């Protein structure tokens, strides 16, 4: 039986499904296509066409629904409000970049003179701006180098100093950094052999001296950054190790360039060099407050040896990292520094203002350095305490807010929230209370 087209149209929704090319040409979708690309938008159109076909979506609402369904950006990582009070929260990306560093990353995104001399049109030293800024920040260093992260810095240094030979390490410093990352395994992966000296709680200079021999590549001094040993303990300071006349490699971990009275137990790069370390390694995204990177400082000879090692090329950082490292140093104080040193009175009055607006109690709150740094150190601050049920509703909000659940309550600690974001936070809490 033949049914004329005209008779079918009203009954069959398939005839009403807007064509893909017509939908994609709709001016309402133009900016989404610019932002996300046509493939992503087309996929959303095809999904919505299916709903129209099934009679679950009126055809005239197709374009508007596609727009609603599309994400704001192509990146799946979402900026969050860190209300945990933990400054270097590893799961939240460790250090938050300064505005200066963010601007520098954006500026370096296209073509840049990262390895090019604009005056003579020839190749120039890669990342020289970042290296100069680092050298200036730590005058005790004869030279500096930037690699992919703290682990890479350690791999490069142990490979260059001790591959096929021995690395002397105190038993009290054979640490696991986090997420199953064990320092001894990392070092052995370079082909160096670990020679353990001393005991878990006590290691003396004589323990190192007894282990020294023709096979010694270097002595490694690791800052046990994420735990504390108390009681009957001793370890050998870098200054004494330096007297052994073998290369001393110091992994200070957190990237504090100079001593900070707020963090009395954190070793700093300048101090380790002054004490005679040949090479000092640390992370860029911990207390240094910059991007993920491994910063290496040392004598000119030692750093040059690393720079020329073939492995250095495999651990090289990109222009975005170099731009961020330089701007972190040259720009105003980093968010990490500001959050660490936040004035408790100011935190308290901001908490009072927030509680007055959204409810909850103002309570004392101990912030932390995080990222495995300064274990046991409590940063005195304040928080707004809300019922625990807020925690998941705040995480589901836009922007997601991450609080700290403690004693059955959801604490919003303002230490790592910029004052300019207090309004956003208040609105997020109000939205979560509905
Ligand atoms: C964090 C840390 C590392 C690892 O640095 P990444 O930048 O995370 O690779 C190595 N050693 C110590 C002592 C650390 O604290």
């Amino acid at each position: 039986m033949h049914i004329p087209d005209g008779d079918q149209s009203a009954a069959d929704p398939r005839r009403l499904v807007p064509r893909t090319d017509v939908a994609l040409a709709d001016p309402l979708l133009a900016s989404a296509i610019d932002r996300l690309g046509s493939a992503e938008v087309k996929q959303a159109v095809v999904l919505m066409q299916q709903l129209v076909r099934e009679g679950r979506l009126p055809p005239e609402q197709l374009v508007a629904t596609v727009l609603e369904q599309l994400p704001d950006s192509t990146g799946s990582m979402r900026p969050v409000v860190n209300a945990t009070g933990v400054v270097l929260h590893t799961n939240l990306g460790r250090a938050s970049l300064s505005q200066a560093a963010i601007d520098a990353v954006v500026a370096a995104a296209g073509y840049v003179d990262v390895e090019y001399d604009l005056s003579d049109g020839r190749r120039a030293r890669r990342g020289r701006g970042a290296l100069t800024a680092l050298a200036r920040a730590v005058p005790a260093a004869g030279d500096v180098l930037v690699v992919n992260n703290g682990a890479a810095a350690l791999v490069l240094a142990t490979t260059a100093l001790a591959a096929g030979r021995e690395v002397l390490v105190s038993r009290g410093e054979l640490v696991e950094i986090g997420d199953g990352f064990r320092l001894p395994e990392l070092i052995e992966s370079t082909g160096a052999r670990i020679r353990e000296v001393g005991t878990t709680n006590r290691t003396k200079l004589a323990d190192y001296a007894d282990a020294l021999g023709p096979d010694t590549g270097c002595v490694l001094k690791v800052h046990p950054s994420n735990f504390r040993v108390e009681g009957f303990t001793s370890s050998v300071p870098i200054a004494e190790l330096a007297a052994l006349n073998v290369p001393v490699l110091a992994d200070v971990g957190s990237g504090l360039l100079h001593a900070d009275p707020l963090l009395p137990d954190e070793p700093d790069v300048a101090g380790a060099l002054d004490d005679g370390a040949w090479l000092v390694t640390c992370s860029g995204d911990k207390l240094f407050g910059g991007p993920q990177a491994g910063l290496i400082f040392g004598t000119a000879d030692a750093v040059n040896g690393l720079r020329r090692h073939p492995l250095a090329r495999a651990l090289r950082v990109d222009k975005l990292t170099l731009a961020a490292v330089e701007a972190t140093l040259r720009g105003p104080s980093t968010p990490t520094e500001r959050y660490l040193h936040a004035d408790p009175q100011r935190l308290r009055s901001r908490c009072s203002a927030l509680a007055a607006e959204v409810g909850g109690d103002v309570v004392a709150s101990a912030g932390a350095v995080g990222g495995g740094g300064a274990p046991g150190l409590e940063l005195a601050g304040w928080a707004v305490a809300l019922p625990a049920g807020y925690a998941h509703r705040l995480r589901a909000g836009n922007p997601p807010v991450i609080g700290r659940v403690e004693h059955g309550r959801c604490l919003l600690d303002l230490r790592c929230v910029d004052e300019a974001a207090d309004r956003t936070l208040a609105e997020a809490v109000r939205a979560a209370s509905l």
Side-chain angles (χ1 to χ4, degrees):
M1 184 172 62
H2 174 77
I3 301 172
D5 282 355
D7 292 350
Q8 190 192 29
S9 61
D12 187 350
R14 276 171 300 187
R15 297 211 29 96
L16 301 168
V17 177
R19 276 170 40 189
T20 310
D21 56 346
V22 173
L24 285 173
D26 192 306
L28 285 173
L29 291 183
S31 79
I33 290 171
D34 281 349
R35 196 173 74 242
L36 303 167
S38 54
E40 168 108 18
V41 178
K42 184 175 171 186
Q43 201 179 8
V45 167
V46 170
L47 275 174
M48 293 309 121
Q49 283 173 326
Q50 184 57 31
L51 292 188
V52 174
R53 231 170 262 128
E54 290 165 8
R56 294 159 61 195
L57 181 71
E60 66 279 6
Q61 282 178 24
L62 181 129
V63 167
T65 313
V66 164
L67 263 181
E68 251 173 54
Q69 302 285 317
L70 286 170
D72 292 337
S73 71
T74 45
S76 65
M77 272 192 257
R78 296 179 63 194
V80 303
V81 176
N82 175 8
T84 63
V86 179
V87 181
L88 302 168
H89 197 300
T90 302
N91 302 150
L92 303 182
R94 289 197 182 156
S96 177
L97 288 186
S98 65
Q99 192 56 51
I102 294 167
D103 293 344
V105 167
V106 171
Y111 297 124
V112 278
D113 61 342
V114 61
E115 211 174 303
Y116 184 79
D117 188 330
L118 291 171
S119 63
D120 63 9
R122 290 172 204 241
R123 186 177 182 284
R125 187 180 185 200
R126 183 179 171 84
R128 58 211 173 282
L131 297 174
T132 305
L134 279 167
R136 233 178 245 160
V138 184
D143 204 349
V144 296
L145 188 63
V146 183
V147 292
N148 183 55
N149 59 9
L154 207 53
V155 162
L156 180 58
T158 40
T159 304
L161 294 176
R165 303 207 286 155
E166 287 181 351
V167 177
L168 270 46
V169 195
S170 161
R171 287 199 167 86
E173 297 173 10
L174 293 168
V175 301
E176 175 171 321
I177 302 295
D179 198 23
F181 163 34
R182 294 181 164 173
L183 226 101
E185 291 170 3
L186 182 82
I187 288 163
E188 282 177 338
S189 77
T190 70
R193 295 187 302 280
I194 296 222
R195 173 93 179 250
E196 302 178 12
V197 302
T199 61
T200 307
N201 57 328
R202 286 173 72 83
T203 302
K204 302 194 208 70
L205 185 61
D207 296 322
Y208 289 95
D210 289 349
L212 273 186
D215 246 12
T216 307
C218 67
V219 169
L220 170 62
K221 178 81 184 162
V222 181
H223 174 52
S225 54
N226 54 3
F227 68 100
R228 282 196 303 189
V229 187
E230 283 171 24
F232 187 54
T233 64
S234 71
S235 65
V236 185
I238 292 169
E240 288 179 33
L241 294 175
L244 292 172
N245 262 330
V246 284
V248 175
L249 163 61
D251 174 16
V252 299
S254 298
L256 203 57
L257 298 189
H258 298 278
D260 182 341
L262 180 76
L263 308 165
D265 297 328
E266 279 304 301
D268 62 294
V269 172
L273 289 169
D274 286 342
D275 287 345
W278 284 37
L279 287 168
V280 182
T281 63
C282 64
S283 295
D285 54 358
K286 294 184 185 169
L287 292 171
F288 177 73
Q292 177 188 302
L295 310 180
I296 303 174
F297 304 80
T299 64
D301 279 353
V303 174
N304 205 31
L306 302 198
R307 180 175 287 120
R308 289 163 179 276
H309 195 283
L311 188 58
R313 183 63 168 78
L315 306 175
R316 184 174 100 162
V317 285
D318 76 337
K319 58 184 178 174
L320 304 181
T321 301
L322 291 165
V325 165
E326 181 178 7
T328 297
L329 277 163
R330 294 180 48 183
S333 62
T334 61
T336 299
E337 201 174 325
R338 281 189 280 116
Y339 301 157
L340 279 175
H341 296 269
D343 172 23
Q345 285 319 311
R346 187 75 204 147
L347 291 174
R348 187 177 194 171
S349 63
R350 288 169 59 203
C351 284
S352 300
L354 179 61
E357 198 174 331
V358 303
D361 304 320
V362 177
V363 298
S365 167
V369 172
L377 183 81
E378 295 192 346
L379 302 167
W382 296 88
V384 173
L386 296 165
Y390 269 88
H392 78 268
R393 290 203 300 275
L394 283 166
R395 282 200 308 274
N398 188 21
V401 174
I402 321 294
R404 191 170 87 235
V405 176
E406 213 171 86
H407 305 305
R409 298 209 281 183
C410 172
L411 301 190
L412 298 180
D413 186 316
L414 298 191
R415 172 176 300 279
C416 310
V417 180
D418 275 325
E419 217 164 317
D422 281 0
R423 188 97 299 281
T424 307
L425 178 59
E427 274 153 25
V429 177
R430 242 183 315 173
S433 67
L434 293 177

